[in-house]
Amino acid sequence: MAAEIVNPRSESTTEGYGDSVESFDPAFALHRGGKMAVQATVPIRDKDDLSLAYTPGVAKVCSAIAENPELVHDYTWKSQVVAVVTDGTAVLGLGDIGPEASLPVMEGKAILFKQFGGVDAVPIALATTDTDEIIETVVRLAPSFGGVNLEDISAPRCFEIERRLQEALDIPVFHDDQHGTAVVTLAALRNAAKLTGRTLDDLRAVISGAGAAGVAIAKFLLEAGLGDVAVADRKGIVSSDRTDLTDVKRELAELTNKAGLSGSLESALAGADVFIGVSGGTVPEPAVASMAPGAFVFAMANPNPEVHPDVAHKYASVVATGRSDYPNQINNVLAFPGIFAGALQVRASRITEGMKIAAANALADVVGDQLAADYVIPSPFDERVAPAVTAAVAAAARAEGVARR
């Protein structure tokens, strides 16, 4: 008697949430059985198809790759697939929830790669938080992939993990929590400055949050020509006179805060041109009111921005959040699909600063003549975004000598 085939989507596995959870929460219904699957790109209709796709035909391809390993890019999916790797220690706003609980997010990331960049991606949640073990595991997995997207790995380990993996591998390694956020922030900031007749060099910014995103944004904006930026953690402005800084924050203190500010985030906002929030919490309204005339407020914490848009609009000329229900959403999906698509297209060995700046410029340029206070960054559903970012990144990779085709 044949075994009964059970559709996992028809079985209730929401124990502990009540038998009828899906009747009132569509999120559970959508996630039943997962959000993605593997699909063949060639038909297996008969024995001839089988003999080509598998044995004996596949042996010819394997032998050719063994003789010339570069052929793996042409005769497998390696050059068009990304590993989405996490240890589950910094998932969304949920924190350290572990690898199993991170999988819905990693699946989501994978389908965004496909939907917005045409890039296949595989979620990989690791049952370790040890830096050396994560690096060793990803290095051993690397032959199967054209790139590695690190996701939701807590700071400061994420910095070392990304650096060491890129040193060890000849494929792009990209921690999206850092660089994707930075790219989209720069694009929005360029357009906000253009809208108000200023340049990046005219601006002094204050960043709330010295984790992965805050550190990366600060460095990237300075690389792009920002006038000055100060970064605040829970204890105040990251400055060289503090004795409690980690190695990452000590380096940050040396690169940032030309004005020599110290003390609280609120005090640093007095006269500042830009607020960038990547930390959560709430910034008091008087501190927002103390910013320079025509200021920009990018309050990107989800679901609750550090400055509510209604408050920000009282004092700022441009307001952005991380939410989809307000204008000017700073969303990483605007960046990472096109960045990886461009890098994979030219078989780049890494993603450089120049490639990221090219991505930000291309993203900003999509807005074009439609530039307005409520439109400094395009929608993730704007079909022009991914092709523009892809082309710019591919061109930058060739210009910087990291392209291999």
Side-chain angles (χ1 to χ4, degrees):
M1 179 177 177
E4 180 184 2
I5 298 175
V6 178
N7 179 356
R9 295 181 183 270
S10 68
E11 295 297 300
S12 177
T13 55
T14 52
E15 182 179 352
Y17 286 87
D19 294 337
S20 60
V21 64
E22 291 183 12
S23 67
F24 62 84
D25 193 331
F28 280 92
L30 182 143
H31 282 79
R32 170 149 330 265
K35 300 193 292 287
M36 58 185 295
V38 175
Q39 182 176 343
T41 60
V42 296
I44 307 292
R45 297 162 298 197
D46 52 37
K47 66 181 181 63
D48 292 333
D49 288 343
L50 183 60
S51 69
L52 288 173
Y54 201 55
T55 186
V58 73
K60 299 176 184 179
V61 181
C62 292
S63 297
I65 295 171
E67 291 180 13
N68 180 6
E70 285 299 305
L71 292 178
V72 71
H73 298 286
D74 297 313
Y75 295 108
T76 73
W77 76 336
K78 177 180 172 73
S79 281
Q80 53 194 359
V81 65
V82 171
V84 180
V85 179
T86 190
D87 63 357
T89 55
V91 181
L92 300 178
L94 305 173
D96 185 356
I97 61 175
E100 290 85 1
S102 76
L103 268 177
V105 177
M106 300 310 114
E107 287 182 2
K109 197 79 174 188
I111 64 175
L112 294 180
F113 265 110
K114 189 67 173 179
Q115 176 72 25
F116 293 102
V119 174
D120 289 301
V122 177
I124 299 175
L126 302 179
T128 179
T129 60
D130 181 86
T131 294
D132 291 334
E133 289 182 356
I134 291 171
I135 293 167
E136 180 182 3
T137 301
V138 175
V139 168
R140 292 181 185 278
L141 289 169
S144 296
F145 298 98
V148 176
N149 184 96
L150 300 174
E151 190 76 19
D152 293 348
I153 299 174
S154 62
R157 296 173 310 118
C158 59
F159 302 110
E160 180 181 358
I161 290 169
E162 182 189 45
R163 176 183 59 79
R164 288 174 55 189
L165 279 174
Q166 189 60 85
E167 290 172 355
L169 300 175
D170 66 347
I171 58 176
V173 178
F174 186 85
H175 185 209
D176 188 48
D177 301 313
Q178 294 183 59
H179 310 300
T181 308
V183 165
V184 183
T185 301
L186 174 59
L189 190 58
R190 277 198 186 283
N191 274 343
K194 180 181 178 181
L195 180 68
T196 57
R198 288 176 281 180
T199 66
L200 292 181
D201 186 58
D202 296 326
L203 305 175
R204 177 173 73 84
V206 177
I207 297 176
S208 175
V215 170
I217 291 170
K219 290 182 177 180
F220 192 54
L221 293 183
L222 289 173
E223 180 77 17
L226 187 71
D228 191 16
V229 59
V231 183
D233 62 12
R234 291 183 179 87
K235 296 182 180 179
I237 298 299
V238 175
S239 58
S240 55
D241 60 347
R242 283 178 48 180
T243 59
D244 60 342
L245 301 180
T246 63
D247 290 343
V248 170
K249 291 180 182 180
R250 274 195 294 272
E251 179 190 8
L252 188 65
E254 293 173 1
L255 296 173
T256 62
N257 195 16
K258 296 175 186 176
L261 302 174
S262 60
S264 68
L265 167 74
E266 290 80 5
S267 65
L269 281 175
D273 302 292
V274 186
F275 168 76
I276 297 171
V278 284
S279 67
T282 302
V283 177
E285 184 171 343
V288 181
S290 74
M291 295 178 69
F296 313 141
V297 172
F298 293 2
M300 298 186 286
N302 270 319
N304 299 312
E306 294 88 349
V307 183
H308 192 279
D310 291 345
V311 173
H313 278 295
K314 294 181 183 180
Y315 311 102
S317 60
V318 176
V319 177
T321 72
R323 290 174 51 147
S324 60
D325 53 347
Y326 290 102
N328 296 328
Q329 184 189 17
I330 307 293
N331 191 325
N332 289 14
V333 76
L334 289 163
F336 68 81
I339 289 173
F340 267 101
L344 294 176
Q345 185 180 97
V346 298
R347 293 182 190 166
S349 58
R350 64 190 301 114
I351 294 171
T352 65
E353 291 299 298
M355 292 162 72
K356 290 185 288 184
I357 288 176
N361 291 342
L363 185 53
D365 288 345
V366 168
V367 171
D369 294 338
Q370 295 175 285
L371 181 62
D374 61 354
Y375 187 55
V376 297
I377 198 75
S379 162
F381 296 99
D382 189 323
E383 294 181 354
R384 299 171 296 171
V385 168
V389 173
T390 299
V393 168
R398 292 191 177 103
E400 299 210 337
V402 297
R404 289 175 288 192
R405 74 168 180 184

